[in-house]
Amino acid sequence: MRKVVTIDGPAGAGKSTVARLLASRLGWRLLDTGAMYRAVTLAAIRAEIDLANEDALGTLAEGLAVRLPPGEVLLNGEDVTGLIRTVEITRASRYLADSPRVRAQLVRLQREFARENEVVAEGRDQGTVVFPDAFRKFFLTATLAERARRRHAEFVLRGEAIELAAVERDLRERDERDAARAIAPMKAADDAHILDTTGLDLDAVVGRIEREIVGEPESDPS
Ligand code: C5P
């Protein structure tokens, strides 16, 4: 495994934006694991699979090629980058996130990705399950109100009409499910740095993370 920095935390905590900027500053690849769950969700909806059918979801995921070349999400070679950020995919993604076989398959792909690249890995379980030996681990949080505001602004920017209150309710439900899930629940690794991004701008958060990464020696053989 090459060098991995993990950034986990609840939806809307700023993980994606922070991880993208950090990866670009370090010259590393971004591993957006939420995009992988979203791509499999899109495939399941298109195939009209019963989202409660674990076997069907597992078989589907194991037969899919999900790839993340820089700036793109490819599902069996098709660029689905713009199709996976909708409210519908966001809501349905919980079924895929709860599926042990889907998780096992995506964890395999995530570790493969890190064999070939130095990565900033972003998700819910990157520091706890996927890369327990990561070089540095971060867990981003922010208040529910702030996270809802950020997510709502993203939906509005994409032209999706949804009330702020509905975004907040969706977020709360998703957080609860993510944290309570039996397999790979969302939680900070014991050795993660916890960063509350409420009221902080992007540069401030990335700056803090960079100082943790660059500011310390890699190893001391003596
Ligand atoms: O982060 P994002 O909102 O794109 O995540 C999409 C979905 O994938 C969410 O339902 C989240 O719970 C799930 N997910 C996960 N494990 C990850 C990344 C995302 O269960 N490592």
Side-chain angles (χ1 to χ4, degrees), residues 4-67:
V4 175
V5 167
T6 60
I7 302 191
D8 290 304
K15 298 186 305 290
S16 298
T17 331
V18 165
R20 188 170 306 113
L21 182 59
L22 180 67
S24 118
R25 286 201 192 158
L26 293 171
W28 295 10
R29 293 282 298 279
L30 172 66
L31 175 57
D32 177 353
T33 62
M36 292 177 146
Y37 286 92
R38 288 169 180 273
V40 181
T41 305
L42 176 66
I45 289 175
R46 281 177 169 175
E48 296 182 10
I49 283 175
D50 172 6
L51 295 179
N53 183 337
E54 162 66 9
D55 264 353
L57 294 182
T59 305
L60 172 83
E62 285 156 17
L64 290 176
V66 180
R67 295 195 46 248

Coordinates of all heavy atoms in Angstrom, one line a residue, residues 4-67:
V4 N -1.5 6.7 2.4 CA -3.0 7.0 2.4 C -3.3 8.0 3.5 O -2.8 7.8 4.7 CB -3.8 5.7 2.6 CG1 -5.3 6.0 2.7 CG2 -3.6 4.7 1.5
V5 N -4.1 9.0 3.2 CA -4.6 9.9 4.2 C -6.1 9.7 4.2 O -6.7 9.7 3.1 CB -4.3 11.4 4.0 CG1 -5.1 12.3 4.8 CG2 -2.8 11.6 4.2
T6 N -6.8 9.4 5.3 CA -8.2 9.2 5.3 C -9.0 10.4 5.9 O -8.5 11.0 6.8 CB -8.6 7.9 6.1 OG1 -8.1 8.1 7.5 CG2 -7.9 6.7 5.6
I7 N -10.1 10.6 5.2 CA -11.0 11.7 5.7 C -12.4 11.1 5.8 O -13.0 10.9 4.8 CB -10.9 12.9 4.7 CG1 -9.5 13.4 4.6 CG2 -11.9 14.0 5.2 CD1 -9.3 14.7 3.9
D8 N -12.8 10.9 7.0 CA -14.2 10.3 7.2 C -15.0 11.4 7.9 O -14.5 12.4 8.4 CB -14.1 9.1 8.1 CG -13.4 7.9 7.4 OD1 -13.9 7.5 6.3 OD2 -12.4 7.4 7.9
G9 N -16.3 11.1 8.0 CA -17.2 12.0 8.7 C -18.6 11.9 8.1 O -18.8 11.3 7.0
P10 N -19.6 12.6 8.7 CA -20.9 12.6 8.2 C -21.1 13.4 6.9 O -20.2 14.2 6.6 CB -21.7 13.2 9.4 CG -20.8 14.1 10.1 CD -19.4 13.4 10.0
A11 N -22.2 13.2 6.3 CA -22.5 14.0 5.1 C -22.6 15.5 5.3 O -23.1 15.9 6.4 CB -23.9 13.5 4.5
G12 N -22.0 16.2 4.4 CA -22.0 17.7 4.6 C -21.0 18.3 5.5 O -21.0 19.5 5.7
A13 N -20.1 17.4 6.0 CA -19.1 18.0 6.9 C -17.9 18.6 6.1 O -17.0 19.2 6.7 CB -18.5 16.9 7.8
G14 N -18.0 18.5 4.8 CA -17.0 19.2 4.0 C -15.9 18.2 3.4 O -15.0 18.7 2.8
K15 N -16.2 16.9 3.7 CA -15.1 15.9 3.3 C -14.7 16.0 1.8 O -13.5 16.0 1.5 CB -15.6 14.5 3.5 CG -16.0 14.2 4.9 CD -16.3 12.7 5.0 CE -17.4 12.2 4.1 NZ -18.8 12.7 4.4
S16 N -15.7 16.1 0.9 CA -15.4 16.0 -0.5 C -14.6 17.2 -1.0 O -13.6 17.0 -1.6 CB -16.7 16.0 -1.3 OG -17.5 14.9 -1.0
T17 N -15.0 18.4 -0.6 CA -14.3 19.6 -1.0 C -12.9 19.6 -0.4 O -11.9 19.9 -1.1 CB -15.1 20.8 -0.5 OG1 -16.5 20.5 -0.5 CG2 -14.9 22.0 -1.4
V18 N -12.8 19.3 0.9 CA -11.5 19.3 1.5 C -10.6 18.2 0.9 O -9.5 18.5 0.6 CB -11.7 19.0 3.0 CG1 -10.4 18.6 3.7 CG2 -12.4 20.2 3.7
A19 N -11.2 17.0 0.7 CA -10.3 15.9 0.2 C -9.9 16.2 -1.2 O -8.7 16.0 -1.6 CB -11.2 14.6 0.2
R20 N -10.7 16.8 -2.0 CA -10.3 17.2 -3.4 C -9.2 18.2 -3.4 O -8.2 18.0 -4.1 CB -11.6 17.7 -4.2 CG -11.3 17.9 -5.7 CD -12.5 18.2 -6.5 NE -13.6 17.2 -6.3 CZ -14.7 17.5 -5.7 NH1 -15.0 18.7 -5.2 NH2 -15.6 16.5 -5.5
L21 N -9.4 19.2 -2.6 CA -8.3 20.3 -2.6 C -7.0 19.7 -2.0 O -5.9 20.0 -2.5 CB -8.8 21.5 -1.8 CG -7.9 22.7 -1.7 CD1 -7.5 23.2 -3.1 CD2 -8.4 23.8 -0.9
L22 N -7.1 18.9 -1.0 CA -5.9 18.4 -0.3 C -5.2 17.5 -1.3 O -4.0 17.6 -1.5 CB -6.3 17.6 0.9 CG -5.2 16.9 1.6 CD1 -4.3 17.9 2.3 CD2 -5.7 15.9 2.7
A23 N -5.9 16.6 -2.0 CA -5.3 15.7 -3.0 C -4.6 16.5 -4.1 O -3.5 16.2 -4.5 CB -6.4 14.8 -3.6
S24 N -5.2 17.6 -4.5 CA -4.6 18.4 -5.6 C -3.3 19.1 -5.1 O -2.3 19.1 -5.8 CB -5.6 19.3 -6.2 OG -5.3 20.6 -6.1
R25 N -3.4 19.6 -3.8 CA -2.2 20.2 -3.3 C -1.0 19.2 -3.1 O 0.1 19.6 -3.2 CB -2.5 20.9 -2.0 CG -3.3 22.2 -2.2 CD -3.2 23.1 -1.0 NE -4.1 24.1 -1.0 CZ -4.5 24.8 0.0 NH1 -4.1 24.5 1.2 NH2 -5.4 25.8 -0.1
L26 N -1.4 18.0 -2.7 CA -0.3 17.0 -2.4 C 0.1 16.3 -3.7 O 1.2 15.7 -3.7 CB -0.9 15.9 -1.5 CG -1.2 16.3 0.0 CD1 -1.9 15.2 0.7 CD2 0.1 16.7 0.7
G27 N -0.7 16.5 -4.8 CA -0.4 15.7 -6.0 C -0.7 14.3 -5.9 O -0.2 13.4 -6.6
W28 N -1.7 13.9 -5.0 CA -2.1 12.6 -4.8 C -3.5 12.4 -5.5 O -4.1 13.3 -5.9 CB -2.3 12.2 -3.3 CG -1.0 12.3 -2.5 CD1 0.2 12.7 -2.9 CD2 -0.9 11.8 -1.2 NE1 1.1 12.6 -1.9 CE2 0.5 12.1 -0.8 CE3 -1.7 11.3 -0.2 CZ2 1.0 11.8 0.5 CZ3 -1.2 11.0 1.1 CH2 0.1 11.2 1.4
R29 N -3.9 11.1 -5.6 CA -5.2 10.8 -6.2 C -6.3 10.9 -5.1 O -6.1 10.5 -4.0 CB -5.2 9.4 -6.8 CG -4.3 9.4 -8.1 CD -4.9 10.0 -9.3 NE -6.1 9.3 -9.7 CZ -6.2 8.2 -10.4 NH1 -5.1 7.6 -10.8 NH2 -7.3 7.6 -10.7
L30 N -7.5 11.3 -5.6 CA -8.7 11.4 -4.7 C -9.4 10.1 -4.8 O -9.8 9.6 -5.9 CB -9.6 12.5 -5.0 CG -10.9 12.6 -4.3 CD1 -10.7 12.8 -2.8 CD2 -11.8 13.7 -4.9
L31 N -9.7 9.4 -3.7 CA -10.6 8.2 -3.7 C -11.9 8.6 -3.0 O -12.0 8.6 -1.8 CB -9.8 7.1 -2.9 CG -10.6 5.8 -2.7 CD1 -11.1 5.2 -4.0 CD2 -9.7 4.7 -2.0
D32 N -12.9 8.9 -3.8 CA -14.2 9.3 -3.3 C -15.0 8.1 -3.2 O -15.7 7.6 -4.2 CB -14.8 10.3 -4.3 CG -16.2 10.8 -3.9 OD1 -16.7 10.2 -3.0 OD2 -16.7 11.7 -4.6
T33 N -15.0 7.5 -2.0 CA -15.7 6.2 -1.9 C -17.2 6.3 -1.9 O -18.0 5.4 -2.3 CB -15.3 5.5 -0.6 OG1 -15.6 6.3 0.6 CG2 -13.8 5.2 -0.6
G34 N -17.8 7.5 -1.5 CA -19.2 7.8 -1.6 C -19.7 7.7 -3.0 O -20.7 7.2 -3.3
A35 N -18.8 8.2 -4.0 CA -19.1 8.1 -5.4 C -19.3 6.6 -5.8 O -20.1 6.3 -6.7 CB -18.1 8.8 -6.2
M36 N -18.5 5.7 -5.2 CA -18.6 4.3 -5.6 C -19.9 3.8 -5.2 O -20.6 3.1 -5.9 CB -17.5 3.5 -4.9 CG -16.1 3.8 -5.5 SD -14.9 2.9 -4.5 CE -13.7 2.6 -5.8
Y37 N -20.4 4.1 -3.9 CA -21.7 3.6 -3.4 C -22.8 4.2 -4.3 O -23.8 3.5 -4.6 CB -21.9 3.9 -1.9 CG -21.0 3.0 -1.1 CD1 -19.7 3.4 -0.7 CD2 -21.5 1.8 -0.7 CE1 -19.0 2.6 0.1 CE2 -20.7 0.9 0.1 CZ -19.4 1.3 0.5 OH -18.7 0.5 1.2
R38 N -22.6 5.4 -4.7 CA -23.6 6.1 -5.5 C -23.7 5.5 -6.9 O -24.8 5.3 -7.5 CB -23.3 7.6 -5.7 CG -23.5 8.4 -4.4 CD -23.0 9.8 -4.5 NE -23.2 10.5 -3.3 CZ -24.3 11.2 -3.0 NH1 -25.3 11.3 -3.9 NH2 -24.5 11.8 -1.9
A39 N -22.5 5.1 -7.5 CA -22.5 4.5 -8.8 C -23.2 3.1 -8.8 O -24.0 2.8 -9.7 CB -21.1 4.4 -9.3
V40 N -23.0 2.4 -7.7 CA -23.6 1.1 -7.6 C -25.2 1.3 -7.4 O -26.0 0.5 -7.9 CB -23.0 0.2 -6.5 CG1 -23.7 -1.2 -6.4 CG2 -21.5 0.0 -6.7
T41 N -25.5 2.3 -6.7 CA -26.9 2.6 -6.5 C -27.6 2.9 -7.8 O -28.7 2.4 -8.1 CB -27.1 3.9 -5.5 OG1 -26.4 3.6 -4.3 CG2 -28.5 4.1 -5.2
L42 N -26.9 3.7 -8.6 CA -27.5 4.1 -9.9 C -27.7 2.8 -10.8 O -28.8 2.6 -11.4 CB -26.5 5.0 -10.7 CG -26.9 5.4 -12.1 CD1 -28.2 6.2 -12.1 CD2 -25.8 6.2 -12.8
A43 N -26.7 1.9 -10.7 CA -26.8 0.6 -11.5 C -28.0 -0.2 -11.0 O -28.7 -0.8 -11.8 CB -25.5 -0.1 -11.4
A44 N -28.2 -0.2 -9.7 CA -29.3 -1.0 -9.1 C -30.6 -0.4 -9.5 O -31.6 -1.2 -9.8 CB -29.1 -1.0 -7.6
I45 N -30.8 0.9 -9.5 CA -32.0 1.5 -9.9 C -32.3 1.3 -11.3 O -33.4 0.9 -11.7 CB -32.0 3.0 -9.5 CG1 -32.0 3.3 -8.0 CG2 -33.2 3.8 -10.2 CD1 -31.9 4.7 -7.6
R46 N -31.3 1.4 -12.1 CA -31.5 1.2 -13.6 C -31.9 -0.3 -13.8 O -32.7 -0.5 -14.7 CB -30.2 1.4 -14.3 CG -29.9 2.9 -14.6 CD -28.6 3.0 -15.2 NE -28.3 4.4 -15.8 CZ -27.2 4.7 -16.3 NH1 -26.2 3.8 -16.4 NH2 -27.0 5.9 -16.8
A47 N -31.3 -1.2 -13.1 CA -31.6 -2.6 -13.3 C -32.9 -3.0 -12.6 O -33.4 -4.2 -12.7 CB -30.5 -3.5 -12.8
E48 N -33.6 -2.0 -11.9 CA -34.8 -2.2 -11.2 C -34.8 -3.4 -10.2 O -35.7 -4.2 -10.1 CB -36.0 -2.4 -12.2 CG -36.2 -1.2 -13.1 CD -37.3 -1.3 -14.1 OE1 -38.1 -2.3 -14.0 OE2 -37.5 -0.5 -14.9
I49 N -33.6 -3.4 -9.5 CA -33.4 -4.5 -8.5 C -34.2 -4.0 -7.3 O -34.2 -2.9 -6.9 CB -31.9 -4.6 -8.3 CG1 -31.3 -5.4 -9.4 CG2 -31.6 -5.3 -6.9 CD1 -29.8 -5.5 -9.3
D50 N -34.7 -5.0 -6.6 CA -35.4 -4.8 -5.3 C -34.2 -4.4 -4.3 O -33.4 -5.2 -4.0 CB -36.1 -6.1 -4.8 CG -36.6 -6.0 -3.4 OD1 -36.5 -4.9 -2.8 OD2 -37.1 -7.0 -2.9
L51 N -34.2 -3.2 -3.8 CA -33.1 -2.7 -3.0 C -33.0 -3.4 -1.7 O -32.0 -3.2 -1.0 CB -33.2 -1.2 -2.8 CG -33.1 -0.3 -4.1 CD1 -33.3 1.2 -3.8 CD2 -31.8 -0.6 -4.9
A52 N -34.0 -4.1 -1.3 CA -33.9 -4.9 0.0 C -33.4 -6.3 -0.3 O -33.2 -7.0 0.7 CB -35.3 -4.9 0.6
N53 N -33.1 -6.6 -1.5 CA -32.6 -8.0 -1.8 C -31.1 -8.1 -1.8 O -30.4 -7.7 -2.8 CB -33.2 -8.4 -3.2 CG -32.8 -9.8 -3.6 OD1 -31.9 -10.4 -3.1 ND2 -33.6 -10.4 -4.4
E54 N -30.6 -8.5 -0.7 CA -29.1 -8.5 -0.5 C -28.4 -9.3 -1.5 O -27.3 -8.9 -2.1 CB -28.8 -9.0 0.9 CG -27.4 -9.5 1.2 CD -26.3 -8.4 1.2 OE1 -26.7 -7.2 1.1 OE2 -25.1 -8.8 1.2
D55 N -28.9 -10.5 -1.9 CA -28.3 -11.3 -2.9 C -28.2 -10.6 -4.2 O -27.1 -10.6 -4.9 CB -29.1 -12.6 -3.1 CG -28.5 -13.7 -2.2 OD1 -27.4 -13.5 -1.6 OD2 -29.1 -14.8 -2.2
A56 N -29.3 -10.0 -4.6 CA -29.3 -9.3 -5.9 C -28.3 -8.1 -5.9 O -27.6 -7.9 -6.9 CB -30.7 -8.8 -6.2
L57 N -28.3 -7.4 -4.8 CA -27.3 -6.3 -4.7 C -25.9 -6.7 -4.8 O -25.1 -6.2 -5.5 CB -27.6 -5.5 -3.4 CG -28.9 -4.8 -3.3 CD1 -28.9 -4.0 -1.9 CD2 -29.2 -3.8 -4.4
G58 N -25.6 -7.8 -4.1 CA -24.2 -8.4 -4.1 C -23.8 -8.8 -5.4 O -22.7 -8.5 -5.9
T59 N -24.7 -9.6 -6.1 CA -24.4 -10.1 -7.4 C -24.2 -8.9 -8.4 O -23.2 -8.9 -9.2 CB -25.5 -11.0 -7.9 OG1 -25.7 -12.0 -6.9 CG2 -25.1 -11.7 -9.3
L60 N -25.0 -7.9 -8.3 CA -24.9 -6.8 -9.2 C -23.5 -6.1 -8.9 O -22.7 -5.9 -9.9 CB -26.0 -5.7 -8.9 CG -25.8 -4.4 -9.6 CD1 -26.4 -4.5 -11.0 CD2 -26.5 -3.3 -8.8
A61 N -23.2 -5.8 -7.7 CA -21.9 -5.1 -7.4 C -20.7 -5.9 -7.8 O -19.8 -5.3 -8.4 CB -21.9 -4.8 -5.9
E62 N -20.8 -7.2 -7.7 CA -19.6 -8.0 -8.0 C -19.4 -8.0 -9.5 O -18.3 -8.3 -10.0 CB -19.7 -9.4 -7.4 CG -19.5 -9.4 -5.9 CD -20.1 -10.5 -5.1 OE1 -20.5 -11.5 -5.7 OE2 -20.3 -10.4 -3.9
G63 N -20.4 -7.7 -10.3 CA -20.3 -7.8 -11.7 C -20.0 -6.4 -12.4 O -20.0 -6.3 -13.6
L64 N -19.9 -5.4 -11.5 CA -19.7 -4.0 -12.1 C -18.3 -3.6 -12.1 O -17.5 -3.9 -11.2 CB -20.5 -3.0 -11.2 CG -22.0 -3.0 -11.3 CD1 -22.6 -2.0 -10.3 CD2 -22.6 -2.7 -12.6
A65 N -17.9 -2.7 -13.1 CA -16.6 -2.1 -13.1 C -16.9 -0.6 -12.6 O -17.5 0.1 -13.4 CB -16.0 -2.1 -14.4
V66 N -16.4 -0.3 -11.4 CA -16.5 1.1 -11.0 C -15.1 1.6 -10.9 O -14.3 1.1 -10.2 CB -17.2 1.2 -9.6 CG1 -17.3 2.6 -9.1 CG2 -18.6 0.5 -9.6
R67 N -14.9 2.7 -11.7 CA -13.5 3.2 -11.7 C -13.6 4.7 -11.5 O -14.5 5.4 -11.8 CB -12.9 2.9 -13.1 CG -12.7 1.4 -13.2 CD -11.7 1.0 -14.4 NE -10.5 1.9 -14.3 CZ -10.2 2.8 -15.3 NH1 -11.0 3.0 -16.3 NH2 -9.1 3.5 -15.1

